[in-house]
Amino acid sequence: MQAIRVERNIGGRVLAIETGSYAKLAAGSVTVQYGDTIVFGAVARANPREGIDFFPLQVDYRERRAAAGKFPGGFLKRESRPTTKEILTARLIDRPLRPLFPKGFIDEVQIQLNVLSFDGVNDPDILAGLAASASVAISDIPFITPIAHVRVGRIDGQFIINPTLEELDATEMDVVVAGTKHFVNMIEVGAFESPEDLVADAIEFGHKAIIEICLLYTSDAAD
């Protein structure tokens, strides 16, 4: 299978999705790159377990220290169980993704997300949401429509898309928005007593970027 890569300028940096290079036996797999941060996502599917009446979707997100060029030292020299951030990021991805599978679909679906490279500038958690959606979208798993995640910050009265880690320290709000090209289906807000209208403007600003990212799934990606 030949590698396929699409990219688009989002927030002043190039966002790229590539498939066909890794995990070719998975139902779907992609890498998502933003700056020098790269996240790998793969999805696997199996027949439903006997007797279940729910959708057993599992999302696993891991940030290995090797992605930042570091290795565990001291007494423990191996990676341990998921950190709080990894668990919360997996939930952040699961929430907007789960409702987009068809009603009554109960096949086993597992999404594995691993940070391959971390540049110390771009947080990989937002990229993982896109990697999860893209890997499912290119698989044979029934899926209503792709989604994307973006983070919105506000510095000196101006909204910015996907602020860097340094900018996050100075931002007035940290808004994570997920959705399709038509709707927003998940928000998470951290802010210092921001008025509702300002938060609503941040969500609208983030959704405009989501629309741009969703174009990567269409023939318009080359525009």
Side-chain angles (χ1 to χ4, degrees):
M1 178 180 177
Q2 183 180 2
I4 299 172
R5 180 183 176 94
V6 292
E7 56 186 43
R8 204 171 189 88
N9 191 296
I10 303 293
R13 283 152 286 173
V14 174
L15 175 69
I17 306 175
E18 184 173 327
T19 186
S21 298
Y22 302 102
K24 297 181 181 181
L25 296 182
S29 66
V30 301
T31 56
V32 176
Q33 181 171 356
Y34 197 55
D36 286 326
T37 296
I38 304 173
V39 177
F40 166 76
V43 60
R45 173 188 185 182
N47 293 329
R49 286 173 281 169
E50 185 176 351
I52 68 169
D53 58 356
F54 63 93
F55 177 36
L57 172 65
Q58 178 180 334
V59 178
D60 183 39
Y61 170 79
R62 299 304 301 267
E63 295 179 349
R64 306 292 183 183
R65 295 189 186 183
K70 301 178 181 180
F71 296 90
F75 181 74
L76 294 175
K77 292 183 171 55
R78 291 185 296 178
E79 301 281 356
S80 59
R81 62 186 179 183
T83 63
T84 299
K85 185 197 175 186
E86 289 170 327
I87 293 171
L88 293 178
T89 299
R91 293 176 181 175
L92 198 70
I93 296 166
D94 183 293
R95 286 205 302 269
L97 203 64
R98 187 177 291 270
L100 296 176
F101 290 88
K103 185 177 181 180
F105 181 69
I106 58 173
D107 284 16
E108 294 269 359
V109 175
Q110 293 187 0
I111 301 174
Q112 299 292 324
L113 302 158
N114 286 280
V115 180
L116 299 183
S117 174
F118 174 53
D119 60 8
V121 177
N122 300 289
D123 199 321
D125 58 354
I126 296 301
L127 306 183
L130 179 56
S133 170
S135 61
V136 175
I138 65 173
S139 72
D140 61 350
I141 299 171
F143 191 51
I144 296 174
T145 186
I147 63 170
H149 288 64
V150 297
R151 174 174 275 115
V152 178
R154 188 171 186 264
I155 298 177
D156 297 330
Q158 299 294 320
F159 291 124
I160 54 176
I161 288 292
N162 295 339
T164 64
L165 295 181
E166 183 178 353
E167 289 171 335
L168 275 176
D169 291 335
T171 188
E172 303 168 20
M173 60 171 57
D174 180 359
V175 182
V176 176
V177 185
T180 72
K181 63 181 179 181
H182 297 297
F183 304 104
V184 170
N185 67 348
M186 195 280 299
I187 58 172
E188 187 171 273
V189 181
F192 297 101
E193 300 181 356
S194 295
E196 291 184 6
D197 290 345
L198 188 61
V199 174
D201 289 342
I203 295 170
E204 183 179 4
F205 182 78
H207 189 242
K208 290 179 181 178
I210 287 174
I211 294 172
E212 288 292 313
I213 296 172
C214 287
L215 290 176
L216 289 169
Y217 294 103
T218 70
S219 58
D220 297 328
D223 291 348

